[in-house]
Amino acid sequence: MLLSLIIYPLTAIILYFLANNLSKRDCFVRLKGGKLGFWNTETILSLLVFGFIAGARYNVGVDHLSYLEEYLFIQETGNPFRDTFESGFLFIAKLFAGLDLHYFFFFAFWAILQIGFIYYALRDRRFLLPYIALLIMLGPYFLNWMNGIRQCVVMCLFVVLIGFIVKRKFIYYAVGILLAALVHKSALILLPLYFIFYKEYKLTNRRFLLLILCICIILGMFSSYWLNSLIYIDGVLSFLGYDAYAESIYKMTSEGVLMRSFGPSRLIILITDITIIWFYPDMKKYMSDDKYLPVFFFLFLLGTFLSNLFINTSHIFLRPIEYFTIFRLPMTAYLLYYLKKDRSIWVFLFFSVIIFSYIFFSILKAHLMPVGSNLFTLYNFFFTK
């Protein structure tokens, strides 16, 4: 527990200071009529720091040890014992294994891609990066990214591809999705999303949106009544690369589901979502020239509505929804930036304390209840195992 209380906040602080310095330098360069390139000292150091923390971990993230076993097996035999990996991911794994690189570098590589895609997507909005840096380590994102590695790389890339939606470049977007599908096949479900944004959605009626959220929460509490109707999508899940989930879908629907409680972690996320929805009309007015903000918000809404609707089902349904919940990250950064610039400092501090307390509650829960997914929360270095 003590190591986790050191590693997570310390990494957040380091990434924050690097991002904050980059944001200030970027602002200064822009005021002089210039433009700071993506590759710079602060960005490179941020990627390396994050890559080191992710690469040096052991048993952090539910899937970490299974990925580790696959990598070590590839090093020994040249092939994985699981035959469902996508060709792109398998190519990288075999490349690293063929070079006889320690698994530290393998995991660090994927983590660098994750944070690198997010930073690249926001390269023209570096005022958000200090908040992004804190959110990644103090919010739910680091633990999530260390779990479903392949899909999380793809969903971070998806944030980059939003630029092609905004700029109406379908070919570039389609190529990006097809390349992403080489890492996780589920990326293909993102291809039709391009056409949703031919129309601009106002989405400024905060009370109506909060009503929809409440309905989704209530329906999610009674998911066992309509869950059986979803058994027929197992074939679709298999096609998208969720074979393990598709195989257990019948068992899950026949046995029913467990009710997830409104504990601190879920409440923090729910409060964050409600706050974003409430302040979005004000944020939109304050940053009226930001063409990305409405798109991010639309996808964030899909994520928060669907995640609450399916919260009491299983990862079979929640994993694909993560392609939309990832947009809570930039939207929370927008929220904190707006609150600091246009609201009372006490309002900003109040919501900051709530939002950044997520990791501390997660660590405490893992310490007090070391069972289930909590076992993969506390940080460990591989060289201490």
Side-chain angles (χ1 to χ4, degrees):
M1 178 178 175
L2 179 60
L3 181 61
S4 299
L5 289 173
I6 294 173
I7 292 297
Y8 292 126
L10 181 59
T11 306
I13 291 171
I14 293 172
L15 292 176
Y16 170 80
F17 279 110
L18 288 170
N20 193 50
N21 190 67
L22 176 59
S23 176
K24 291 179 178 178
R25 197 154 65 90
D26 183 64
C27 182
F28 178 75
V29 171
R30 288 179 183 274
L31 286 174
K32 297 187 70 175
K35 186 175 181 180
L36 197 62
F38 174 72
W39 294 109
N40 51 73
T41 303
E42 292 90 346
T43 298
I44 293 172
L45 287 176
S46 296
L47 269 57
L48 291 177
V49 168
F50 188 76
F52 174 82
I53 294 300
R57 79 190 193 277
Y58 183 85
N59 202 24
V60 180
V62 178
D63 292 343
H64 181 248
L65 292 186
S66 62
Y67 275 106
L68 175 57
E69 290 173 2
E70 287 282 1
Y71 182 73
L72 295 177
F73 191 79
I74 292 173
Q75 279 189 320
E76 293 177 5
T77 67
N79 292 291
F81 56 79
R82 173 180 165 184
D83 60 359
T84 57
F85 281 127
E86 291 80 359
S87 59
F89 178 82
L90 192 57
F91 172 79
I92 296 297
K94 287 185 175 182
L95 176 63
F96 277 68
L99 294 173
D100 201 27
L101 293 175
H102 190 275
Y103 57 79
F104 164 86
F105 297 99
F106 178 68
F107 289 115
F109 170 79
W110 294 111
I112 287 172
L113 283 185
Q114 290 170 343
I115 191 173
F117 285 143
I118 296 297
Y119 273 43
Y120 186 80
L122 301 174
R123 65 195 181 281
D124 293 326
R125 290 157 183 78
R126 289 193 169 110
F127 58 88
L128 297 176
L129 291 185
Y131 305 105
I132 293 289
L134 292 174
L135 287 165
I136 288 174
M137 297 307 303
L138 302 182
Y141 305 99
F142 178 80
L143 293 176
N144 183 34
W145 294 0
M146 298 303 103
N147 180 20
I149 298 173
R150 290 175 298 140
Q151 181 176 334
C152 288
V153 168
V154 171
M155 69 189 193
C156 290
L157 174 59
F158 180 43
V159 181
V160 176
L161 298 180
I162 295 302
F164 297 129
I165 292 179
V166 173
K167 297 173 183 176
R168 312 310 304 166
K169 295 183 177 181
F170 175 71
I171 298 300
Y172 291 94
Y173 178 78
V175 170
I177 293 297
L178 293 177
L179 289 175
L182 297 177
V183 176
H184 203 281
K185 197 166 21 176
S186 63
L188 295 174
I189 66 177
L190 303 174
L191 193 57
L193 286 175
Y194 179 90
F195 303 100
I196 294 177
F197 295 99
Y198 272 112
K199 177 183 178 181
E200 183 179 351
Y201 302 91
K202 300 296 182 182
L203 300 176
T204 53
N205 189 332
R206 64 189 86 189
R207 289 180 175 82
F208 178 69
L209 295 177
L210 289 175
L211 176 61
I212 296 177
L213 177 58
C214 288
I215 292 172
C216 290
I217 293 172
I218 294 171
L219 289 175
M221 294 171 64
F222 299 97
S223 56
S224 59
Y225 291 98
W226 47 267
L227 185 62
N228 288 331
S229 64
L230 300 174
I231 193 173
Y232 302 106
I233 70 169
D234 59 341
V236 177
L237 291 169
S238 296
F239 173 74
L240 293 175
Y242 298 110
D243 304 82
Y245 301 128
E247 291 172 2
S248 62
I249 190 172
Y250 179 79
K251 180 180 179 181
M252 185 199 70
T253 53
S254 61
E255 294 179 356
V257 293
L258 297 175
M259 287 291 294
R260 289 185 172 87
S261 62
F262 284 90
S265 299
R266 187 180 177 189
L267 285 174
I268 289 169
I269 291 177
L270 186 57
I271 291 170
T272 301
D273 291 348
I274 292 172
T275 308
I276 291 171
I277 292 172
W278 184 259
F279 282 107
Y280 174 71
D282 302 315
M283 287 190 281
K284 194 171 186 300
K285 289 180 182 177
Y286 186 78
M287 293 170 273
S288 57
D289 60 340
D290 193 324
K291 296 181 180 180
Y292 283 69
L293 180 58
V295 179
F296 285 168
F297 182 66
F298 180 90
L299 294 170
F300 153 79
L301 281 179
L302 283 180
T304 192
F305 291 161
L306 292 173
S307 61
N308 280 283
L309 183 62
F310 289 93
I311 188 67
N312 288 313
T313 55
S314 81
H315 287 294
I316 294 173
F317 306 107
L318 293 175
R319 284 292 292 272
I321 295 171
E322 289 182 5
Y323 283 120
F324 308 116
T325 56
I326 183 61
F327 291 94
R328 182 183 292 115
L329 175 58
M331 285 308 305
T332 307
Y334 272 113
L335 171 68
L336 294 173
Y337 174 80
Y338 166 75
L339 292 178
K340 186 175 182 181
K341 291 292 184 179
D342 202 54
R343 295 283 169 163
S344 164
I345 186 63
W346 297 111
V347 175
F348 168 75
L349 291 175
F350 174 77
F351 285 109
S352 294
V353 169
I354 293 175
I355 291 168
F356 294 133
S357 64
Y358 182 94
I359 193 64
F360 299 103
F361 279 110
S362 298
I363 292 171
L364 181 61
K365 183 170 67 173
H367 176 69
L368 297 176
M369 296 183 294
V371 295
S373 61
N374 294 341
L375 292 170
F376 312 101
T377 296
L378 298 181
Y379 191 87
N380 300 287
F381 284 110
F382 73 84
F383 45 79
T384 64
K385 295 295 179 181

